[in-house]
Amino acid sequence: MKIAIIGAGQVGGTLGRAWAAAGHEIVFGVRDPAGNRVASVVATTAGRARAAGVAEAAAGAEVVVLATPWPATESAVREAGDLSGKVLIDCTNPLADDLSVLLVGRTSSGAELVATWAPEARVVKAFNTTGFENMADPDFHGRPATMLIAGDDEAAKAIACGLARDVGFDPVVAGPLTMARLLEPIALLWINLALFRGHGTRVTFQLDRKA
């Protein structure tokens, strides 16, 4: 697939490398496509990715992935332009600067706000409940980490599930986009366990199933 990743930080770069290795066409959409930061990320993809401006990257993509810090997310969506019909995967979490609380929750979610900013896009919440280290290596003792996915469009969720498998996750559909109200607090719980409770970033959640 043609995938535009808006943002080339730790999450965007890790996902981009994994999807490029799986054979997808990757474009990192950034404000400075000639900058050293994105160039260093592109250099790790063995020539399978490139950088472009945000609008250019989004225009040529089937799937657009938001991998931005929360304060930059709305402007990134606006800058991406017309996202009508595109699968828009929201990896963000509406976190306070100190990572202690969510700025949106209970009766809404960051993903639902994204859907209001891009009302014609097919918004899916995914890749937000764990850290980039686990995206680089989702294998835990021979079992894949779980990736929870939420959205209102069934075909878009199926695409997100396929991309999760390409990275190495076990995708689990949690329900409609309103379930992002639960997925984003799971991200906050992961951050608390990983960063503030001494478990480290190589901790994950797995949905177990009894036969």
Side-chain angles (χ1 to χ4, degrees):
M1 301 194 77
K2 295 180 179 179
I3 304 173
I5 301 176
I6 309 305
Q10 293 172 326
V11 170
T14 301
L15 291 174
R17 282 188 287 273
W19 288 329
H24 298 288
E25 183 179 328
I26 306 300
V27 181
F28 292 102
V30 294
R31 289 184 173 171
D32 182 14
N36 291 334
R37 181 175 180 181
V38 70
S40 67
V41 175
V42 169
T44 65
T45 66
R48 299 187 183 102
R50 64 184 180 89
V54 173
E56 179 187 344
E62 301 162 272
V63 177
V64 177
V65 178
L66 288 173
T68 52
W70 177 249
T73 300
E74 182 176 4
S75 62
V77 172
R78 307 293 188 198
E79 192 173 348
D82 184 11
L83 297 173
S84 298
K86 296 182 187 293
V87 177
L88 180 58
I89 298 178
D90 174 27
C91 307
T92 71
N93 286 301
L95 293 162
D97 289 343
D98 65 359
L99 308 181
S100 65
V101 295
L102 294 170
L103 301 176
V104 181
R106 294 177 182 264
T107 59
S108 188
S109 65
E112 289 169 275
L113 285 178
V114 168
T116 68
W117 302 331
E120 301 303 320
R122 302 150 68 196
V123 178
V124 178
K125 190 76 183 185
F127 303 105
N128 74 298
T129 53
T130 194
F132 74 93
E133 299 93 341
N134 295 333
M135 296 179 190
D137 179 15
D139 182 273
F140 282 76
H141 308 291
R143 294 180 55 221
T146 298
M147 180 51 63
L148 296 167
I149 292 168
D152 295 332
D153 186 292
E154 296 301 321
K157 284 187 286 190
I159 289 170
C161 285
L163 292 174
R165 290 188 194 97
D166 287 343
V167 175
F169 284 104
D170 171 28
V172 175
V173 174
L177 195 63
T178 53
M179 289 298 99
R181 301 175 193 181
L182 302 181
L183 269 59
E184 291 168 1
I186 288 174
L188 186 62
L189 174 60
W190 184 88
I191 289 168
N192 181 63
L193 292 171
L195 302 184
F196 304 132
R197 299 298 172 192
H199 292 279
T201 56
R202 289 295 279 149
V203 63
T204 193
F205 301 115
Q206 289 176 315
L207 183 66
D208 213 347
R209 303 168 179 86
K210 261 193 175 180

